[in-house]
Amino acid sequence: MSPLNDAEIDLRHLLNRGYPQKGALNFVAGHYLLDQDQRNYLARKVSSDQKALERKVKIVDFTDLKDQTLLIDGYNVLITLENVLHHPDTILESDDGVLRDTKAVFGKYRPHPDTASTLNTLISFLREAQVRRVDFFYDRPVSKSGELAKLTREMMERNQFPGSATTSPCVDRELAKNSADTVVATSDGPLMDKVEKVVDLPGLIRNELK
């Protein structure tokens, strides 16, 4: 068994014993002399058994999306889907039932040639799922977030798909506050804890492509 596999087992054990995630991760990563990529893997992969179960029961499937309003954690979903489509080796299946990427590029993300095609794939999927409306939220502090919101609106208008795309100083708070009677598209663990229904759009799209 590799050191990373051993570290995964140890971290899950500590979390199951109630140790805080950050402290447990630092301890395990230090013990096994893990590099930053390996730390990213553990942070995104491992949850306590109880936390994983609490999150899994919130996840809705493709057939549950019909006529729903979706609130989309923009950078979270877009970056994960881009990696599903173009860098699948960076994608992992987490304990709590959603796909996550290990590249950790969130704060450095900029729109690029693949962005429009990824948005088009996403919007086409939402149309196929017969979603009623979609509202994208991008983190305002990230450079070019306004440009990305504008591109998203243009893609939605081009596809005649109802919804909006905007920036917010705190997307997690915005989504949690407005999540009643909606489905939130995200793989962010703390946000999943705060809302009632979650959808893993990159995961559903990956399954469809298979």
Side-chain angles (χ1 to χ4, degrees):
M1 189 175 292
S2 72
L4 186 58
N5 287 334
D6 287 337
E8 183 178 328
I9 292 169
D10 286 357
L11 178 57
R12 190 173 292 109
H13 173 73
L14 291 175
L15 295 178
N16 283 335
R17 293 289 301 275
Y19 285 83
Q21 201 266 353
K22 184 176 180 180
L25 176 61
N26 287 338
F27 174 80
V28 171
H31 177 74
Y32 287 98
L33 303 177
L34 303 183
D35 61 28
Q36 189 58 52
D37 287 342
Q38 292 170 320
R39 287 176 63 98
N40 288 341
Y41 173 89
L42 285 184
R44 289 160 172 76
K45 165 75 173 176
V46 181
S47 302
S48 71
D49 294 342
Q50 181 63 33
K51 183 63 70 178
L53 179 60
E54 290 172 355
R55 291 174 180 171
K56 281 180 178 178
V57 299
K58 298 181 178 185
I59 298 174
V60 304
D61 207 348
F62 177 83
T63 54
D64 301 312
L65 297 179
K66 184 178 179 180
D67 295 328
Q68 292 283 349
T69 295
L70 264 61
L71 306 182
I72 296 189
D73 185 358
Y75 280 110
N76 178 282
V77 171
L78 180 62
I79 293 171
T80 306
L81 182 56
E82 279 190 3
N83 286 323
V84 164
L85 298 175
H86 304 291
H87 307 284
D89 56 315
T90 70
I91 292 295
L92 58 85
E93 296 183 11
S94 303
D95 288 353
D96 52 12
V98 296
L99 295 187
R100 293 192 175 97
D101 74 279
T102 61
K103 293 182 72 174
V105 300
F106 165 68
K108 307 169 188 175
Y109 185 87
R110 304 290 182 273
H112 57 88
D114 288 331
T115 303
S117 65
T118 301
L119 283 169
N120 189 63
T121 296
L122 177 56
I123 293 169
S124 296
F125 176 81
L126 295 171
R127 180 184 295 283
E128 180 184 342
Q130 300 180 54
V131 171
R132 179 173 58 194
R133 176 186 173 88
V134 177
D135 296 309
F136 287 79
F137 295 85
Y138 293 104
D139 297 78
R140 190 173 301 160
V142 178
S143 178
K144 307 291 186 181
S145 59
E147 180 180 316
L148 182 55
K150 182 174 182 288
L151 174 62
T152 303
R153 290 193 298 272
E154 291 172 351
M155 296 296 295
M156 294 175 75
E157 290 169 6
R158 192 175 306 164
N159 286 274
Q160 297 183 321
F161 197 86
S164 67
T166 187
T167 63
S168 171
C170 185
V171 167
D172 286 10
R173 187 182 305 140
E174 189 88 24
L175 294 179
K177 180 180 69 175
N178 294 291
S179 62
D181 301 318
T182 66
V183 179
V184 175
T186 188
S187 64
D188 180 83
L191 179 56
M192 292 174 71
D193 295 335
K194 296 174 184 175
V195 302
E196 294 183 8
K197 294 181 181 179
V198 175
V199 62
D200 176 19
L201 292 176
L204 292 179
I205 292 172
R206 187 182 71 164
N207 291 342
E208 184 178 74
L209 293 175
K210 285 182 177 180

